């Protein structure tokens, strides 16, 4: 799932330009020997439905990685983590080496979360089947901020959320389509007026769709 994702899009470009490198690691390779298969999960102590990822494969994998490079962050993708915001991505884009842990099963051993994980991040208040898609989302949002990754660098800075507001509406040609007109001011060439209009629009849109952003 992640291999194909990372071979596409912006991440592929970042990789080619050597601005970001992604390595995928299969936890099973670090599993506990048990007959034919290496074991990575087990029943929850105290009972309950669902399997739990064991601590040893996760720690063995991290320790193997740290032989090569110090990990600045070990992030566990989980629906009960802190909800991802642009501010997290901005902060993480200046880190050199980040490990993202994608959980499966019911969860992972709490000892790993308590002693090896530096942050827990959720991509939203809903549950998806594994952490892989969440890791893909987080990677994309971090990597696009690395200078040189986007062809027009300013476009990452003017994204929605960067100024704490949603983006103003955008229009392109034609100026009129079936009587639907582009706002006059955008055609005026008056840069000051355009900027003022965009600021007002961004504020109005944010008030309407995401008033919580203004409270923050
Ligand atoms: N794994 C399952 N659901 C998730 C979510 N919402 N965010 C991060 N990781 C997850």
């Amino acid at each position: 799932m992640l291999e194909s994702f990372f071979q596409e899009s912006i991440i592929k470009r970042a990789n080619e330009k050597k601005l970001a490198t992604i390595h995928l690691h299969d936890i099973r390779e670090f599993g506990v020997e048990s007959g034919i298969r290496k074991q990575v999960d087990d029943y929850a102590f105290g009972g309950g439905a669902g399997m739990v990822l064991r601590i040893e494969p996760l720690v063995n994998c991290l320790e193997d990685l740290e032989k090569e490079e110090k990990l600045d962050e070990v992030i566990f993708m989980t629906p009960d983590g802190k909800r991802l915001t642009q501010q997290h991505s901005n902060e993480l884009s200046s880190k050199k080496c980040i490990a993202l842990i994608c959980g499966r099963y019911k969860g992972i051993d709490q000892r790993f979360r308590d002693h090896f994980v530096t942050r827990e991040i959720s991509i939203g208040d809903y549950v998806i089947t594994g952490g892989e898609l969440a890791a893909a989302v987080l990677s994309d949002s971090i990597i696009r901020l690395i200078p040189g990754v986007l062809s027009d660098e300013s476009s990452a800075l003017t994204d929605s959320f960067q100024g704490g507001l949603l983006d103003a509406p955008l229009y392109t040609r034609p100026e009129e389509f079936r009587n639907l007109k582009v706002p006059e001011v955008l055609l005026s060439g008056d840069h000051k007026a355009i900027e003022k209009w965009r600021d007002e629009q961004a504020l109005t849109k944010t008030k309407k769709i995401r008033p919580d952003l203004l409270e923050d």
Side-chain angles (χ1 to χ4, degrees), residues 76-82 101-104 120-135:
F76 176 44
M77 307 308 302
T78 175
D80 55 7
K82 284 240 166 76
I101 313 289
C102 307
R104 281 260 158 170
E120 301 190 328
I121 292 184
S122 161
I123 57 164
D125 291 341
Y126 46 85
V127 177
I128 51 177
T129 312
E132 292 87 347
L133 288 176

Side-chain angles (χ1 to χ4, degrees), residues 83-90 141 144-145 155-168 202 205-206 209-214 216:
R83 187 138 34 105
L84 177 62
T85 64
Q86 187 64 46
Q87 202 185 328
H88 294 130
S89 302
N90 292 350
S141 78
R144 67 196 304 284
L145 298 172
S155 68
L157 296 175
T158 58
D159 281 342
S160 275
F161 303 111
Q162 280 295 14
L165 297 177
L166 302 183
D167 228 352
K205 188 168 154 185
T206 309
I209 299 172
R210 292 290 308 275
D212 55 304
L213 292 176
L214 297 171
D216 288 348

